[in-house]
Amino acid sequence: VSRPGPPQVGRGAGSDRSFGAPCLRLLWLGLALALALPNSLVLWSPAEAHPLPAQGHPAKFIRIAPQLQEAFGWWNLTCPTCKGLFTAIDFGLRVSASVAWVGSVAIKLCMLLKIAPPAVCQSAVHLFEDDMVEVWTRSVLSPSEACGLLLGSSCGHWDIFSSWNISLPAVPKPPPQPPKPPAPGSPVSRVLFLTDLHWDHDYLEGTDPNCENPLCCRRDSGPPPASQPGAGYWGEYSKCDLPLRTLESLLSGLGPAGPFDMVYWTGDIPAHNVWQQSRQDQLRALTTVTALVKKFLGPVLVYPAVGNHESTPVNGFPPPFIKGNQSSHWLYEAMAEAWEPWLPAEALRTLRIGGFYALSPRPGLRLISLNMNFCSRENFWLLINSTDPAGQLQWLVGELQAAEDRGDKVHIIGHIPPGHCLKSWSWNYYRIVERYENTLAGQFFGHTHVDEFEVFYDEETLSRPLSVAFLAPSATTYIGLNPGYRVYQIDGNYSGSSHVVLDHETYILNLTEANEPGATPHWHLLYRARETYGLPNALPTAWHDLVYRMWRDTQLFQTFWFLYHKGHPPSEPCGTPCRLATLCAQLSARSDSPALCRHLVPDASLPSVQSLWSRPLLC
């Protein structure tokens, strides 16, 4: 990997003096809040399509900059003044980083800008403040970078997330060999896929599902207005997560969808109450839900991946060079202990180091579980150094090369999809997928809560589909969805198997029916992909062709839109701009790459579609 330099060492903390004049403090804190807190606290935004991955930190700042300017009258802030201010701030951080003082001002600013309700502002800032001050005092943010972000490229260049390249082996890439359909009667494996369970320990039937907090249907949500119903027993179509009984119902009702050869489980176990979580809360969620999975799946082996909600503060995953209490050791060690019955010793070793691992679940197949938090735009620890955190991508290349040498096939599982990652990470991953297209048989992710996919193409022409990442829908209802899970049918366990996905099925619980008085929950098949979409197979070209068929056939797209939301779409229709952006997202396995949609999007429409990249993600 070509690196911009080693991680910057921490700046020393001096006395308890506050740094800079009040306007300097507010400027710095406004920037910090813009880059950190809003993205964690916009969780109550209404459910919508996720048409294209949200841009990184600059786009988030652009969205909040007008509020900051209006609040503090920064309309006349000039470039020299800005650089002078941030030079003073940088000096202040070197001599003093008073966490308590930073927190108190950040709370006031959060409330002033109406980022969240006052109680949420207070709890969130106290939860984030220690880590945020640590990150910002270690980061490479310079006055030129800060002012380039604040005032535009004419004042400086924001390159915290500068480009970097992974090293690929000198071994020539073999000629592409698309997999052949298995012979009739060949064994087929059924793989259960669970993601985004989001268990809410404090879910309470009858409470307000539309409270002012980011997460509702909880003990602190209060009663609903007299004219409105309260939260349902099994879940609610609102900004609510699931009670444990619904997850137990899911796992106990798997019989008709099975039997399963193995389980892929891609994280996000705790609820969305991200402003008030402790490590004890996160570990309780981990151990409780893991025990539930073991209880109902018995001897079936389960292969987990780390979600972005497993840690606290949310999205906070320091690379391994961060030691001590602020490291992720507490989480990875607990995962290794909870998942030890499923994972071999070498997998547990790398899990404890960086939250990722590789193993061989059957002859001829290698499974790689990635910690996608090291690609995340929301992982504020990457402000220190975002170049291949934990060396995970270089490790991935080594695993794929070894699999190619052995003639094995590979499945990759992870939480955050590659198209939603930081640009350099995403583009490097794209290169890796192209290089090892013959070896890589399947990619499986979650995180978006909806039912979608991302197609990969050859880098030279961006026209030959060579891989597809499946993004499965969530178990949780958050926001406004039915609970659901996925089953993949995969070329089975026999000599010469391609191990590719042959089809997939999605199962849901219809909450309207389940919450009727006297009803019992009934999990049922929502659809089978090949049957519903008329696919000849489930290979990349078939998904590529589906996107273009949906562009020409609005009725087919409406079917996709219904299934995208697990059978509970938003009340407002998805018009042409929404349809265009949603379809473009299915072609965008590489972050910030509108060229992938050039054949789908008319030139006149491209600017409007590109503007949708700045929409916030659901979670």
Side-chain angles (χ1 to χ4, degrees):
V1 180
S2 58
R3 299 179 181 274
Q8 188 165 331
V9 296
R11 298 167 181 155
S15 65
D16 196 36
R17 293 180 301 153
S18 61
F19 50 87
C23 63
L24 307 190
R25 303 166 188 166
L26 292 173
L27 183 63
W28 181 84
L29 285 164
L31 185 59
L33 278 170
L35 301 186
L37 293 182
N39 197 72
S40 300
L41 299 178
V42 294
L43 300 173
W44 60 88
S45 60
E48 60 175 345
H50 310 291
L52 288 170
Q55 285 179 317
H57 296 290
K60 287 195 285 180
F61 186 81
I62 289 168
R63 289 197 297 273
I64 199 171
Q67 294 170 273
L68 294 171
Q69 291 171 330
E70 183 177 359
F72 301 111
W74 292 351
W75 296 107
N76 296 319
L77 183 66
T78 65
C79 184
T81 303
C82 179
K83 289 184 176 180
L85 291 177
F86 274 92
T87 299
I89 291 168
D90 186 68
F91 175 77
L93 285 173
R94 291 176 185 272
V95 299
S96 173
S98 173
V99 174
W101 185 89
V102 168
S104 66
V105 178
I107 291 169
K108 294 174 184 176
L109 191 57
C110 179
M111 292 189 289
L112 179 65
L113 298 177
K114 295 182 172 59
I115 291 173
V120 174
C121 283
Q122 186 168 19
S123 298
V125 168
H126 287 325
L127 184 60
F128 278 81
E129 60 188 1
D130 286 337
D131 285 0
M132 283 306 304
V133 168
E134 177 71 15
V135 168
W136 280 83
T137 53
R138 279 176 171 258
S139 77
V140 295
L141 186 69
S142 70
S144 177
E145 289 168 330
C147 295
L149 177 62
L150 184 62
L151 299 180
S153 58
S154 63
C155 189
H157 179 57
W158 168 268
D159 61 356
I160 286 286
F161 301 119
S162 56
S163 298
W164 46 272
N165 291 311
I166 210 74
S167 298
L168 295 176
V171 181
K173 176 182 175 178
Q177 295 179 336
K180 298 177 181 178
S186 297
V188 176
S189 295
R190 293 180 67 81
V191 177
L192 172 64
F193 190 89
L194 301 172
T195 191
D196 298 274
L197 275 61
H198 290 293
W199 166 47
D200 187 355
H201 176 267
D202 288 330
Y203 186 97
L204 185 62
E205 179 190 9
T207 54
D208 188 359
N210 296 298
C211 65
E212 67 170 358
N213 286 343
L215 185 66
C216 299
C217 304
R218 318 185 76 235
R219 297 181 190 278
D220 60 2
S221 299
S227 60
Q228 300 295 323
Y233 183 77
W234 296 104
E236 189 58 54
Y237 295 124
S238 189
K239 49 182 182 179
C240 305
D241 282 322
L242 293 180
L244 193 64
R245 57 180 167 268
T246 306
L247 295 177
E248 189 165 2
S249 169
L250 185 161
L251 293 167
S252 65
L254 288 170
F260 307 112
D261 294 87
M262 52 188 172
V263 181
Y264 293 164
W265 176 20
T266 59
D268 269 16
I269 305 170
H272 285 86
N273 58 322
V274 299
W275 68 96
Q276 57 181 191
Q277 292 171 336
S278 67
R279 289 183 177 182
Q280 183 178 0
D281 295 330
Q282 308 307 82
L283 296 180
R284 176 181 61 186
L286 170 67
T287 55
T288 301
V289 177
T290 297
L292 203 64
V293 171
K294 289 176 181 176
K295 174 183 176 181
F296 288 103
L297 287 166
V300 181
L301 289 175
V302 179
Y303 302 116
V306 182
N308 64 300
H309 277 264
E310 265 70 273
S311 188
T312 184
V314 66
N315 302 312
F317 286 82
F321 66 76
I322 300 294
K323 304 296 184 182
N325 188 53
Q326 287 179 305
S327 76
S328 294
H329 175 77
W330 65 276
L331 179 61
Y332 299 150
E333 189 62 38
M335 287 175 169
E337 183 176 341
W339 300 340
E340 185 176 13
W342 298 326
L343 305 180
E346 176 58 21
L348 292 170
R349 185 187 70 82
T350 56
L351 175 65
R352 285 185 165 100
I353 294 171
F356 53 87
Y357 62 86
L359 52 80
S360 297
R362 57 181 54 168
L365 177 64
R366 191 74 169 162
L367 173 67
I368 297 175
S369 177
L370 295 178
N371 185 348
M372 300 299 286
N373 295 292
F374 290 143
C375 84
S376 172
R377 299 181 177 96
E378 280 61 61
N379 185 359
F380 46 85
W381 286 97
L382 301 187
L383 286 166
I384 299 173
N385 187 342
S386 63
T387 302
D388 192 18
Q392 181 178 218
L393 281 185
Q394 202 64 65
W395 169 84
L396 172 63
V397 169
E399 283 287 337
L400 288 168
Q401 184 60 56
E404 179 180 278
D405 294 342
R406 292 190 302 266
D408 288 349
K409 300 299 182 182
V410 170
H411 285 175
I412 292 176
I413 63 173
H415 183 69
I416 300 171
H420 293 66
C421 292
L422 285 166
K423 181 174 179 178
S424 280
W425 201 103
S426 179
W427 285 52
N428 274 289
Y429 182 84
Y430 207 92
R431 285 179 61 218
I432 294 169
V433 168
E434 183 193 38
R435 167 59 184 83
Y436 294 100
E437 61 173 294
N438 290 348
T439 297
L440 190 53
Q443 301 181 68
F444 309 91
F445 299 91
H447 184 61
T448 68
H449 292 200
V450 288
D451 186 345
E452 50 186 336
F453 55 90
E454 294 178 352
V455 181
F456 292 73
Y457 298 88
D458 68 291
E459 285 200 298
E460 184 176 352
T461 69
L462 293 179
S463 62
R464 180 176 64 86
L466 54 84
S467 187
V468 60
F470 294 99
L471 281 54
S474 62
T476 187
T477 56
Y478 192 92
I479 299 173
L481 303 168
N482 282 310
Y485 66 89
R486 167 68 53 81
V487 177
Y488 290 100
Q489 296 179 37
I490 293 174
D491 196 8
N493 187 14
Y494 63 93
S495 178
S497 172
S498 67
H499 298 286
V500 298
V501 173
L502 304 176
D503 202 353
H504 67 65
E505 306 165 356
T506 297
Y507 294 78
I508 65 162
L509 174 66
N510 185 311
L511 278 183
T512 302
E513 297 174 357
N515 284 331
E516 287 290 330
T520 56
H522 172 61
W523 295 81
H524 68 272
L525 175 68
L526 179 65
Y527 80 104
R528 292 186 177 91
R530 288 186 58 186
E531 175 185 31
T532 299
Y533 294 130
L535 303 176
N537 50 54
L539 298 177
T541 298
W543 295 99
H544 165 90
D545 291 344
L546 174 62
V547 174
Y548 287 88
R549 285 196 288 126
M550 290 192 290
W551 175 240
R552 295 187 297 268
D553 184 343
T554 56
Q555 190 58 48
L556 181 60
F557 174 79
Q558 291 306 322
T559 299
F560 176 79
W561 186 246
F562 177 80
L563 300 174
Y564 179 94
H565 292 94
K566 290 182 287 180
H568 193 260
S571 55
E572 64 272 14
C574 182
T576 299
C578 165
R579 179 163 63 100
L580 185 61
T582 303
L583 294 177
C584 193
Q586 312 311 301
L587 306 179
S588 300
R590 190 167 69 180
S591 175
D592 193 16
S593 184
L596 292 168
C597 296
R598 70 184 189 276
H599 298 303
L600 181 70
V601 184
D603 290 342
S605 302
L606 190 57
S608 63
V609 172
Q610 284 180 279
S611 70
L612 294 169
W613 283 62
S614 60
R615 287 190 182 183
L617 293 174
L618 180 63
C619 55

